[in-house]
Structure formats: structure tokens, C-alpha cells
Amino acid sequence: MASTAWAQGAPARAGDNQTDHGNPHWTRHPGDAALEAIPGEDGWPIVGTTFQQLADPDGFARRMLATYGPVHRTRSFGKRSVDLIGPDANELLLFDRDRLFSSEQGWGPLLNLLFPRGLMLIDHEAHRIDRRALSVAFKPEPMKAYCDLLNRDIAAGMDGWGNGADRFGVRVYDAIKALTLQTAATSFLGIPLGPEADRLNRAFTAMVQAAVAPIRRPLPLTAMGRGVAGRRMMVAWFTRLLSERRADPGQDMFSQFALARREDGSLLPADVVVDHMIFLLMAAHDTITSSFTTLIWQLAKDQHWRNACAPKRWRQRAVPGGRCPTPGWRSWS
Ligand code: HEM
């Protein structure tokens, strides 16, 4: 029951919940020296590998893999850590048959001030109980209701991008970010986002940026300070909305969470529901925005995949004779 201890008692000071001091149930960090035997780099004094990793995450990861192999250590964000790469490592870590790994202790130091108690930040039995309670929101009937709303909003949102050549002027990242926020508002929260959209979007962006900020304390004028202020605003806003949803539930995901019960029949406490919802928004919004932008970028660069993804009628128009010139390509339509 590792993570319930912190869930029940607030840590003494802001920042303490990022450490084993504020989380007495955490396994004590054995100190950086315990990782000495693992090959890797400590980077520069004080900042370690933080800036190299932030400047080019993909290039950094590839260089470390090529130099030190699939198990190597880095020192970013103030501590040594170990990267495990490849299918075997994924299986070992994600199945975690012997309960060797802690998601909370892994993600906590990065995310605990911003997204505490999200599903990805709790372990073992506490994780199982909440995940089970929240699973009501992912049953076929509610999923169909979200899907109908998503189809409607995505079609309307893309109409706003213009037609034909107009769409070449669209900045994809900004457009997808606005669209995912809009669709999350209706399908996750059950509200058309009005004048609050900008305020929520700013708070949300500040929280996500703070997660990878080099200064980890929420000091004034720092990214972490802005992120923690963003979280305060989101918590107040979601707590108000939760009372409305409990009194008058709709078809949205937040209403499902608001009425979710644990195995002992108790409703999830209000602050727990709010934290789960904020985490879920982050998990869904930022990932879809960046992965969809990357998808469009790759399609823009690669004729082969553009042809493979296009509806048959476009391919026939675009390619003389209706045949894709790329070797090995087969039609699936
Ligand atoms: C392309 C889009 C997405 C990517 C690449 C992605 C990636 C991931 C990854 C890698 C994890 C595991 C992290 C870890 O345990 O260390 C995760 C967890 C999670 N994701 Fe996603 N995700 C995406 C979309 C979404 C969406 C749309 C939602 C919600 C509707 C979502 C909700 C979650 C939740 C709730 C967890 C935590 C699960 C748990 O620990 O029980 N994700 N995601």
C-alpha cells in the first residue's frame, strides 16, 4: 500500500512531496554512488546532463544508447537515473512481476508538485483500486457518447481551418492544440469552452512546461512557480465544476469520474477526482497534440506514406494510372 500514505496526509512543505522526506512510505534513495557500476555520464558539474537532454532529447538518447548500450545512467534534474531501452527492458519494467519498480518514485520528483496522485503517480494496491473505480468511464456506452462528440467537434474544428489551399497556411501544432482542448472540453468535461479557454490553456501550458523546468522549486518568476500557480487555478476551477457534475451529471467523462465508487462502495473523494481529471487531461491533451503534429510532419516529408494513407480516389488522381510508384506498396482500400 505504498502510495496511500501520502494520499492521506499532506506533506509538510511545498516541495517535500518530491522527496523521500515528505513521502515516508517511499523507499529511501540509496544515493547516487549506488549507480556507479552502471555505464553512463554525469555531464557537467551541478546541472549534469539536464541541458544536453532538453536541447535534443532524441539525439541525446541515441548517442547514449550507441555509446553505453541499452542500460545506462544519466544525471538530469539533480539526480542520477537509469535508462532501460528495448523490448526486454519494457517487459521487465511494465509487467513488474516482482514489484521492483515504483511509478510514483520515478515520476514523483518530476510531477508531484503539478500532477500529484494522477494514475501514473500511484503504485500497486492504491493504483489498482483507483484504476478500477475510474474504469466506469471507459465502458462501451460512455465511450460511444465521447466518440459521437469527438466526431462532431473534430469535423467542425477542421472546417475552421479553411478549404483547399487555405489549409497550407495553418500552423499545425497550434491548430491541433486548440482543437484537442476544445474536444477535451466537450467530451471530457461536458462544457463548450468559452471565455475560460484561454485562461485554462495558459494554466495548463504552464504546468506542462514546469514539469521539465531546470529549477525544481516553485520560486517566483520561475517556470515551476508559474506551473504551481496554474495548478492552483485548475484545482479551484475543477472543484467547482465537480459539485455541478455531482448534482446534475451528463454524458461526459468528468461526470463518470464524479460518480465513480471504490470497491467498498464509497465515492472517490472530491480532491482525488479533481487530481485524476487534471492528470488525465495532461495525459491526453499534450500527447495527442505532439504525436499528431509529428504525424503530419512525417507525412509532409514522405511521399510514400502520404500515398499509402490517402483515400483511393485521391491516389488515383495524384498518380498517373492510379498506381503508387513506391516499390512494395499495396492498396488496402
Ligand atoms: C499518442 C498519444 C498518447 C501517448 C503517446 C501516450 C503515452 C503514454 C505512456 C508512455 C504512458 C505510460 C507512462 C508510464 O507509466 O511511465 C501513458 C500512461 C497513461 N496515459 Fe497515455 N498516451 C497517449 C494518449 C492518452 C490519452 C488520449 C489518454 C486519455 C484519454 C491517456 C491516458 C493515460 C493514463 C490515464 C495513463 C496512466 C495509466 C496508469 O498508470 O494506470 N493517454 N500514456
Side-chain angles (χ1 to χ4, degrees), residues 8-170:
Q8 283 159 6
R13 284 176 314 175
D16 276 2
N17 65 352
Q18 311 219 62
T19 66
D20 49 25
H21 167 67
N23 292 274
H25 61 286
W26 279 15
T27 307
R28 268 238 118 82
H29 191 273
D32 278 355
L35 300 179
E36 193 61 43
I38 295 177
E41 284 176 17
D42 282 336
W44 298 321
I46 304 174
V47 295
T49 47
T50 310
F51 292 111
Q52 296 165 54
Q53 196 160 13
L54 286 177
D56 179 10
D58 193 42
F60 178 76
R62 283 175 197 280
R63 183 178 69 73
M64 294 297 286
L65 176 63
T67 315
Y68 302 104
V71 178
H72 55 250
R73 90 181 130 69
T74 57
R75 191 165 67 92
S76 295
F77 305 105
K79 252 190 213 139
R80 276 182 172 174
S81 58
V82 177
D83 289 358
L84 302 174
I85 296 175
D88 291 345
N90 274 295
E91 187 178 327
L92 173 77
L93 194 127
L94 293 175
F95 277 109
D96 191 18
R97 292 188 177 91
D98 298 322
R99 297 201 162 184
L100 298 173
F101 298 100
S102 161
S103 202
E104 182 185 348
Q105 281 190 244
W107 284 112
L110 275 186
L111 298 180
N112 248 347
L113 288 181
L114 304 154
F115 301 98
R117 295 187 292 189
L119 271 182
M120 203 176 73
L121 284 103
I122 48 179
D123 285 326
H124 311 314
E125 191 57 5
H127 176 260
R128 189 191 65 76
I129 290 172
D130 277 18
R131 195 170 163 138
R132 196 170 184 152
L134 296 178
S135 67
V136 287
F138 299 98
K139 291 208 175 339
E141 203 181 320
M143 289 291 275
K144 181 166 180 326
Y146 316 144
C147 196
D148 290 344
L149 288 170
L150 285 171
N151 283 337
R152 186 199 68 188
D153 288 353
I154 291 170
M158 286 184 63
D159 280 349
W161 297 353
N163 278 313
D166 289 353
R167 287 192 176 169
F168 287 114
V170 167

Side-chain angles (χ1 to χ4, degrees), residues 213-260:
I215 299 174
R216 306 306 302 165
R217 295 250 155 208
L219 303 171
L221 304 178
T222 60
M224 186 57 89
R226 284 190 293 277
V228 168
R231 170 173 165 78
R232 260 199 306 277
M233 184 242 146
M234 296 279 266
V235 168
W237 192 82
F238 275 92
T239 306
R240 266 197 316 276
L241 191 64
L242 179 65
S243 324
E244 289 173 28
R245 288 292 173 273
R246 282 196 165 153
D248 183 17
Q251 301 244 289
D252 55 282
M253 193 180 281
F254 197 39
S255 295
Q256 305 286 333
F257 279 18
L259 302 178

Side-chain angles (χ1 to χ4, degrees), residues 134-308:
L134 296 178
S135 67
V136 287
F138 299 98
K139 291 208 175 339
E141 203 181 320
M143 289 291 275
K144 181 166 180 326
Y146 316 144
C147 196
D148 290 344
L149 288 170
L150 285 171
N151 283 337
R152 186 199 68 188
D153 288 353
I154 291 170
M158 286 184 63
D159 280 349
W161 297 353
N163 278 313
D166 289 353
R167 287 192 176 169
F168 287 114
V170 167
R171 286 179 63 89
V172 174
Y173 181 82
D174 295 342
I176 300 289
K177 195 167 194 306
L179 183 59
T180 49
L181 195 71
Q182 183 60 54
T183 50
T186 42
S187 57
F188 283 21
L189 308 178
I191 46 164
L193 262 197
E196 258 138 351
D198 272 354
R199 214 156 58 95
L200 280 176
N201 201 1
R202 271 200 305 278
F204 202 67
T205 307
M207 289 166 75
V208 172
Q209 284 173 350
V212 288
I215 299 174
R216 306 306 302 165
R217 295 250 155 208
L219 303 171
L221 304 178
T222 60
M224 186 57 89
R226 284 190 293 277
V228 168
R231 170 173 165 78
R232 260 199 306 277
M233 184 242 146
M234 296 279 266
V235 168
W237 192 82
F238 275 92
T239 306
R240 266 197 316 276
L241 191 64
L242 179 65
S243 324
E244 289 173 28
R245 288 292 173 273
R246 282 196 165 153
D248 183 17
Q251 301 244 289
D252 55 282
M253 193 180 281
F254 197 39
S255 295
Q256 305 286 333
F257 279 18
L259 302 178
R261 290 180 185 274
R262 289 185 170 145
E263 284 155 326
D264 61 6
S266 60
L267 275 177
L268 285 179
D271 57 341
V272 171
V273 174
V274 166
D275 281 342
H276 280 312
M277 197 66 230
I278 294 177
F279 171 78
L280 202 87
L281 263 186
M282 187 271 286
H285 175 66
D286 219 53
T287 46
I288 295 284
T289 305
S290 52
S291 56
F292 198 83
T293 307
T294 309
L295 172 73
I296 300 286
W297 168 244
Q298 295 294 345
L299 283 174
K301 285 202 307 192
D302 192 322
Q303 171 86 43
H304 160 73
W305 282 108
R306 254 196 337 272
N307 285 338

